[in-house]
Amino acid sequence: MLIIDVINDLEFPGGENVLPWALRMVERLGPFAQRMRKAGVPVIYVNDNFDLWRSSFTDVYKHCTRKNSRGQRVARALRPQPDDYFILKPKHSAFFATSLVPLLEHLGTKKLLLAGIATNLCVFFSAHDAHMHEYKITVLSDCCCAESDKDHDLALDQLQRFLRVRVLRGDELHPPPRSRRRATRRPPPEWK
């Protein structure tokens, strides 16, 4: 499961429009990710580095949860758990200039679940690159958000029509039998 850009300060033009949708997304994505963890599905946070080029994921988390950060409630509610993986990305796609492909190969991944912010940008670009890598892709429509319903729905429609991405709500997807692999990298203690 790829959780894209939910550790986010939402301090960008249009971020104020994303916030109400992101808060609703949290209500569904948080419990869904927990179900996947319990089923043994690896959860991978792939997150923008916010031009903090000398930072770690911990630094990005602190940046996004700082006082007065527009996205702090979303980031805190969806913070990674101890067994989750995390990768920083420099651009829109989770695949571009990251270590995601070697990690997915290590995990023996054939199928991907995508969720996060924003449906029409980073989730969209990541799904396109996942398609190029020939993964079977499911995008969780109620675990993604954008600035508007129009942006969200158009992106999902394009992914279905042209990439044959499966689009489901989280309550329509049931976890597979317990996976054989578990995450081994643990976030630093300050996340707990």
Side-chain angles (χ1 to χ4, degrees), residues 51-69:
D51 289 327
L52 302 172
W53 288 94
R54 292 187 174 127
S55 65
S56 66
F57 202 90
T58 302
D59 295 331
V60 169
Y61 181 79
K62 286 179 183 176
H63 169 79
C64 293
T65 58
R66 72 192 183 282
K67 186 177 180 181
N68 299 323
S69 167

Side-chain angles (χ1 to χ4, degrees), residues 101-154:
V101 170
L103 174 58
L104 295 174
E105 288 172 356
H106 169 75
L107 295 170
T109 303
K110 303 285 186 232
K111 300 176 184 178
L112 291 173
L113 298 172
L114 274 63
I117 302 171
T119 316
N120 61 324
L121 294 169
C122 297
V123 174
F124 187 81
F125 281 90
S126 298
H128 270 266
D129 282 357
H131 176 76
M132 295 298 181
H133 285 281
E134 300 184 352
Y135 290 102
K136 292 183 180 180
I137 307 159
T138 300
V139 174
L140 302 171
S141 62
D142 62 338
C143 295
C144 293
C145 65
E147 283 188 53
S148 68
D149 274 343
K150 180 182 177 184
D151 291 339
H152 176 78
D153 293 342
L154 180 61

Side-chain angles (χ1 to χ4, degrees), residues 26-125:
V26 165
E27 296 170 6
R28 293 176 295 276
L29 179 53
F32 182 85
Q34 194 56 33
R35 277 191 336 186
M36 293 300 107
R37 289 178 186 108
K38 286 181 181 178
V41 174
V43 174
I44 304 168
Y45 282 73
V46 185
N47 218 93
D48 192 284
N49 70 4
F50 296 96
D51 289 327
L52 302 172
W53 288 94
R54 292 187 174 127
S55 65
S56 66
F57 202 90
T58 302
D59 295 331
V60 169
Y61 181 79
K62 286 179 183 176
H63 169 79
C64 293
T65 58
R66 72 192 183 282
K67 186 177 180 181
N68 299 323
S69 167
R70 185 182 288 140
Q72 70 174 299
R73 289 186 293 166
V74 174
R76 285 185 178 145
L78 294 174
R79 77 174 187 263
Q81 298 301 301
D83 285 339
D84 294 341
Y85 293 92
F86 46 90
I87 293 173
L88 292 176
K89 64 182 180 67
K91 296 285 183 184
H92 296 82
S93 173
F95 290 85
F96 179 78
T98 73
S99 59
L100 182 58
V101 170
L103 174 58
L104 295 174
E105 288 172 356
H106 169 75
L107 295 170
T109 303
K110 303 285 186 232
K111 300 176 184 178
L112 291 173
L113 298 172
L114 274 63
I117 302 171
T119 316
N120 61 324
L121 294 169
C122 297
V123 174
F124 187 81
F125 281 90

